[in-house]
Amino acid sequence: MADASPSAAAPPRVIARTEGALGRLTLNRPEALNALDIGMIREMRRTLDAWREDSDVQIVLIDGAGERGLCAGGDVRALYDFLTTDRFEDTVAFFREEYALDAEIAEYPKPVVAIADGITMGGGIGIAGHAAIRVVTERSKLAMPETRIGFTPDVGGTLLLGRAPGRLGEYLGLTGSTMSGADALYAGFADHYVPSDRLDALREALAFRADPTGPSEIVLLFDETPDPSPLSAARGWIDEVFAGDSVVEILARLRATRQAEEGPDPAGVADLLGELSPTALAVTLEAVRESRAMDDLRPALEGEYRRVLWFAAHHPDLVEGIRAQLVDKDRNPSWNPATIGDLGADAAVPARSHVPPTPLWD
């Protein structure tokens, strides 16, 4: 006889609870590397709004369930479904609410501590990268890999890229390359390096330790110095190459650069760029350089909002990139235009000047 007992309710995708002085938000979708859907975004915002006036919550901690990472990004497969079934309003709603969450974390009146242990990419950078106190570990893998799917960095990532030393922002934004914890510290995406086996003790100290009183001082008790950043060893040629005025010039400089003793191979980087969406590369280069002159997150988010909705509404490379990487998984996208050499001088202009149908802020 079949078991007639009711099935257990699905676990919440965001676990919110208080522990001592700590309000703790845990992304709880480990089977999808804690990728964000709109329900998770809304739950985080509701909880943060409630904790603003809760005097028992003095510090907010954001972390991820499972051993693999904080958050792999937004739910890109859901975005593909929106874009291919005429649900553009859902696309707009997702980005507006995600960016509002990123801004709330950046502007929150109480200290926000984000633990970027493991994979933290795309939308995960939006959550972790704008927190007041950003922690990485030896397992951390941070990236803004949007060009890999014919897209452009968002969630305030362009601001972080623009603030990176030298031309690392252009390099990381165009290639989507992964940073280690040491790289993230060097590039300005993180503040502290705490070994993963000390994270539980750190959480407990944040919740219950009263001396020292500030969360930054508490984190410093667990902070260690990582090995040197591999990116730092490649700064010489990266700064020279990625200062090029255009994607075309950057590619030419890569082809003319010899392999250094340490760091990525310029020829390999050139081959990688040749496989990516030329339009996404042109838009990303302009976005990073535009954000470099900004002092605040909100203008960067506004620029990103224009660009991402232009891709969603007017350019085929986003849908094609998701199809090739995540749907059919043939890894053989057909970009428009097909090659970097086919880029026009004004390739990024439509994305920059696009007027979204709905303003970003209410």
Side-chain angles (χ1 to χ4, degrees), residues 6-330:
S7 59
R13 291 188 171 183
V14 176
I15 301 172
R17 68 279 201 201
T18 58
E19 301 170 350
L22 197 63
R24 185 173 172 188
L25 281 169
T26 300
L27 305 182
N28 188 40
R29 198 184 176 194
E31 72 282 359
L33 282 172
N34 299 321
L36 295 170
D37 60 28
I38 198 164
M40 297 167 71
I41 291 167
R42 288 171 175 168
E43 180 60 26
M44 293 182 74
R45 293 189 66 195
R46 280 193 294 267
T47 304
L48 289 171
D49 288 344
W51 284 345
R52 280 175 180 267
E53 308 304 324
D54 188 340
S55 60
D56 291 333
V57 175
Q58 300 174 24
I59 304 167
V60 172
L61 175 75
I62 302 175
D63 58 8
E67 298 293 322
R68 299 176 64 194
L70 170 65
C71 175
D75 191 335
V76 177
R77 183 58 189 265
L79 175 61
Y80 179 84
D81 292 340
F82 293 162
L83 295 175
T84 55
T85 56
D86 296 322
R87 295 167 62 190
F88 187 68
E89 297 82 2
D90 291 327
T91 302
V92 173
F94 179 86
F95 286 113
R96 289 186 78 237
E97 297 203 38
E98 184 180 26
Y99 293 3
L101 172 63
D102 299 332
E104 183 166 12
I105 289 171
E107 299 165 0
Y108 204 64
K110 300 177 181 182
V112 177
V113 180
I115 298 180
D117 182 32
I119 293 172
T120 305
M121 298 183 179
I125 296 289
I127 289 172
H130 309 302
I133 301 168
R134 305 166 299 174
V135 177
V136 290
T137 75
E138 80 285 355
R139 303 188 299 198
S140 294
K141 297 179 180 179
L142 282 71
M144 296 298 301
E146 286 78 7
T147 57
R148 307 290 180 103
I149 56 167
F151 203 30
T152 183
D154 66 330
V155 298
T158 58
L159 185 67
L160 297 171
L161 292 166
R163 291 174 173 174
R167 298 294 176 169
L168 288 182
E170 285 93 334
Y171 168 76
L172 293 167
L174 293 178
T175 65
S177 295
T178 300
M179 292 176 276
S180 66
D183 288 333
L185 287 168
Y186 181 73
F189 280 69
D191 307 300
H192 300 282
Y193 182 93
V194 177
S196 58
D197 61 5
R198 306 190 74 189
L199 291 178
D200 286 342
L202 171 60
R203 294 184 186 102
E204 183 175 2
L206 288 168
F208 299 108
R209 185 161 183 156
D211 181 27
T213 55
S216 294
E217 290 81 2
I218 292 172
V219 175
L220 279 171
L221 297 175
F222 300 87
D223 189 298
E224 295 187 4
T225 301
D227 292 334
S229 159
L231 276 181
S232 66
R235 270 287 304 282
W237 74 259
I238 286 177
D239 285 358
E240 172 63 26
V241 166
F242 284 86
D245 289 338
S246 66
V247 175
V248 173
E249 183 176 342
I250 288 170
L251 183 62
R253 292 187 182 191
L254 281 168
R255 297 293 190 197
T257 300
R258 293 183 179 180
Q259 169 68 50
E261 292 184 5
E262 297 182 68
D265 174 21
V269 174
D271 290 342
L272 170 63
L273 294 188
E275 297 172 357
L276 303 180
S277 160
T279 300
L281 294 174
V283 170
T284 296
L285 181 63
E286 183 185 68
V288 171
R289 292 179 174 173
E290 179 183 87
S291 292
R292 182 168 285 132
M294 296 179 182
D295 296 323
D296 188 63
L297 175 60
R298 284 182 181 254
L301 289 168
E302 290 165 4
E304 293 168 354
Y305 185 63
R306 294 194 306 270
R307 292 177 172 95
V308 299
L309 291 189
W310 176 77
F311 270 104
H314 299 294
H315 202 280
D317 279 7
L318 173 56
V319 168
E320 175 63 6
I322 299 173
R323 179 207 65 77
Q325 292 294 330
L326 299 175
V327 180
D328 297 336
K329 299 181 180 180
D330 58 24

